[in-house]
Amino acid sequence: DSADMDTVLQYTKSHYAAPNPAYFGQAKGKNVIVIHLESFQQFLIGMKVDGQEVTPFLNSLYHNKSTISFSNFFNQVGLGKTSDAENMLETSTFGLPTGSLFSSLGTDNTFQGAPAILNQIQGYSSAVFHGGSGGFWNRNNVYKGLGYQYFFDGNFYDHEGNATTEYGIKDKLLFGESIKYLEHMQQPFYTKIITTTNHFPFFITDTDTNFPNAGTSDDTVNGYFQTAHYLDQAIKEFFDYLKSSGLSKNTLVMLYGDHYGISNDRNQALAPLLNKDPAQWTSFDNTALQRVPLMFYGEGLKGGIQSQYGGEIDVLPTLLHLLGINSQDYVQFGTDLLSKQHSQVVAFRNHNFITPQYTVIGSKVYANQTGELIQPTAQLKKTLDADQAKVDEKLDLSDNVANKNLLRFYTPPNFKPINPKAVDYMRSLT
Ligand code: GP9
Ligand code: MN
């Protein structure tokens, strides 16, 4: 009941991290385009196969002077995969310990999501572009609750010929076809493009790629580099459009990887390509590979590679602060990655965690610097126990918010609750 909500508010208020004045409002009033890099892991950045960069465009973007990039940013998804990532990014609350929050609670729960906040505080319009079925992960219902005004799902795209792969139309076609909808959006807009080509089983035809086969014993691993390369080309084409149309002048582009593409049981096939001995591969290495990209690109932004630790839960307060909206009044479990007060203890959905120094997996502790399993001293054990308690508290409170639908008991100042029933995404088709 509302007493549970008070406990949550006490937590979020006391864990609030104030914006960094060097970044607050740096992208104020700009359009926002979020690019969802399906199954894209950080190790792809800078990686080469047969001497060729897998993702040359994203590599250049990562190092661009107008890009704020993160080198220790982790996915925190559970079984809800893509939907958990979306949920964290749109609300700064966690997915559920089992299943997908979007699927099980997404239709009826109260949300105070990014599109609603941006619309109500700064007049943003909003849309999602995704060339697959709108019902996947219950998006067609959840997006209404998040405050999305438009959802251009597979119904809005051409599926003739060989346009479609398992989860949607191919990324180059998705970006290309989305432009005509994007151009009708009232500015400033907050939009998200959800790619799908770089999704397991990472299938791609020879007509869509000439990228070398990595030649490992695992075809899934080999395909991964080819579909990631294709995705990279699709993004380059889209950026060419942003430049030529002039949109890039007043747009902040945020790119993120949602979760792993190569699962832990395939990492040994991947190991040699990362110059690692498969026989020495450990849970520490599996955890290290949970890094995914996070980049903010915008003309005039003060870019650079940031090495502080953080995760998907931290994105929304970071974004809001860049746009000049204080996150203080919202129920958010992450903290602004650019804030001096940002917490660098990164919780995984299964309660394991990583800090800048240590990786804690159940009762095992690894030192990040060496990757070695260590026996913590009594002093260190105390510190890590305290970190574990923080992780547990944060996840449990977020679960309470979700399972008890607590946000219906709290409306932030200047926020009007969203009525999902008032939205019809198919109206522009009828
Ligand atoms: C489908 C896509 C895939 O629409 O987003 O979701 P995933 O399998 O990665 O959770
Ligand atoms: Mn996904």
Side-chain angles (χ1 to χ4, degrees):
D1 56 15
S2 61
D4 293 314
M5 189 63 233
D6 293 341
T7 312
V8 170
L9 282 172
Q10 244 169 46
Y11 175 90
T12 53
K13 287 214 184 318
S14 61
H15 288 77
Y16 164 72
N20 182 335
Y23 293 98
F24 187 79
Q26 284 302 303
K28 190 169 178 169
K30 286 197 176 199
N31 301 311
V32 179
I33 299 179
V34 179
I35 301 182
H36 170 105
L37 304 170
E38 180 57 43
S39 303
F40 197 106
Q41 292 170 255
Q42 179 72 13
F43 74 81
L44 289 168
I45 300 291
M47 181 156 184
K48 288 183 179 169
V49 170
D50 277 4
Q52 267 193 59
E53 289 178 83
V54 181
T55 59
F57 181 72
L58 288 167
N59 296 348
S60 69
L61 199 63
Y62 183 72
H63 293 284
N64 190 296
K65 67 172 181 2
S66 302
T67 306
I68 305 171
S69 305
F70 294 85
S71 57
N72 290 302
F73 176 78
F74 290 81
N75 86 79
Q76 298 170 287
V77 308
L79 295 175
K81 304 294 292 290
T82 292
S83 68
D84 282 356
E86 288 191 66
N87 180 64
M88 282 184 275
L89 267 82
E90 302 286 8
T91 70
S92 191
T93 68
F94 289 94
L96 296 174
T98 53
S100 158
L101 186 151
F102 267 31
S103 301
S104 59
L105 303 172
T107 305
D108 296 318
N109 265 13
T110 297
F111 293 98
Q112 289 147 10
I117 294 170
L118 290 174
N119 175 255
Q120 297 188 21
I121 308 295
Q122 289 192 353
Y124 277 73
S125 68
S126 58
V128 179
F129 304 93
H130 173 61
S133 156
F136 204 97
W137 289 130
N138 194 27
R139 285 182 176 111
N140 48 3
N141 290 311
V142 186
Y143 285 167
K144 295 176 185 173
L146 291 173
Y148 272 111
Q149 295 170 333
Y150 300 94
F151 178 21
F152 298 97
D153 69 3
N155 288 309
F156 292 80
Y157 295 87
D158 187 357
H159 297 269
E160 292 304 306
N162 298 317
T164 308
T165 57
E166 195 170 340
Y167 292 91
I169 65 164
K170 294 187 280 196
D171 294 342
K172 288 183 186 177
L173 305 175
L174 170 70
F175 283 105
E177 272 199 72
S178 296
I179 289 169
K180 64 173 180 284
Y181 301 119
L182 190 67
E183 289 186 334
H184 282 94
M185 297 290 299
Q186 183 193 304
Q187 299 194 30
F189 54 70
Y190 170 76
T191 56
K192 168 159 80 171
I193 305 176
I194 301 179
T195 65
T196 58
T197 305
N198 190 48
H199 189 290
F200 181 84
F202 311 111
F203 173 78
I204 190 159
T205 61
D206 291 346
T207 44
D208 282 324
T209 189
N210 53 11
F211 195 74
N213 186 304
T216 76
S217 57
D218 187 333
D219 278 338
T220 302
V221 174
N222 299 336
Y224 186 57
F225 299 108
Q226 298 180 317
T227 51
H229 184 73
Y230 172 90
L231 169 59
D232 185 73
Q233 291 178 330
I235 290 164
K236 183 189 181 302
E237 288 174 8
F238 184 63
F239 267 75
D240 287 344
Y241 157 75
L242 292 177
K243 281 246 147 65
S244 65
S245 65
L247 262 183
S248 69
K249 281 202 175 23
N250 59 343
T251 299
L252 175 72
V253 185
M254 179 176 99
L255 305 98
Y256 76 100
D258 62 341
H259 52 71
Y260 68 80
I262 305 303
S263 54
N264 288 348
D265 56 328
R266 296 179 191 275
N267 279 342
Q268 277 163 324
L270 179 67
L273 293 176
L274 305 174
N275 301 316
K276 291 265 193 177
D277 177 357
Q280 308 280 317
W281 195 266
T282 65
S283 310
F284 170 81
D285 300 302
N286 286 335
T287 308
L289 285 199
Q290 300 316 307
R291 285 179 174 81
V292 290
L294 176 68
M295 304 182 219
F296 296 92
Y297 168 82
E299 285 182 20
L301 261 197
K302 185 165 95 87
I305 299 175
Q306 307 269 333
S307 60
Q308 62 273 42
Y309 278 53
E312 289 168 334
I313 200 75
D314 301 312
V315 172
L316 181 56
T318 310
L319 175 66
L320 289 179
H321 287 174
L322 282 170
L323 297 175
I325 298 174
N326 203 308
S327 66
Q328 190 157 29
D329 291 328
Y330 304 104
V331 175
Q332 299 177 348
F333 289 93
T335 53
D336 179 351
L337 293 159
L338 298 165
S339 166
K340 301 261 188 296
Q341 294 146 30
H342 167 66
S343 159
Q344 295 194 75
V345 179
V346 182
F348 296 112
R349 186 50 267 194
N350 59 8
H351 293 252
N352 292 336
F353 65 94
I354 188 164
T355 74
Q357 285 83 34
Y358 301 102
T359 299
V360 179
I361 302 171
S363 58
K364 289 190 178 147
V365 180
Y366 295 87
N368 293 350
Q369 207 153 52
T370 60
E372 267 158 37
L373 195 59
I374 57 164
Q375 287 308 322
T377 60
Q379 181 61 39
L380 175 59
K381 177 138 187 2
K382 239 177 104 179
T383 310
L384 294 176
D385 283 349
D387 287 342
Q388 182 73 66
K390 283 189 218 163
V391 164
D392 296 348
E393 182 185 26
K394 198 196 270 222
L395 288 164
D396 292 347
L397 285 173
S398 180
D399 290 347
N400 261 344
V401 169
N403 288 320
K404 299 181 181 169
N405 187 16
L406 292 183
L407 291 184
R408 76 198 137 120
F409 299 118
Y410 170 74
T411 303
N414 307 315
F415 188 86
K416 243 178 52 240
I418 294 291
N419 175 14
K421 300 208 169 54
V423 187
D424 173 11
Y425 290 137
M426 299 305 285
R427 65 190 178 284
S428 42
L429 276 189
T430 53

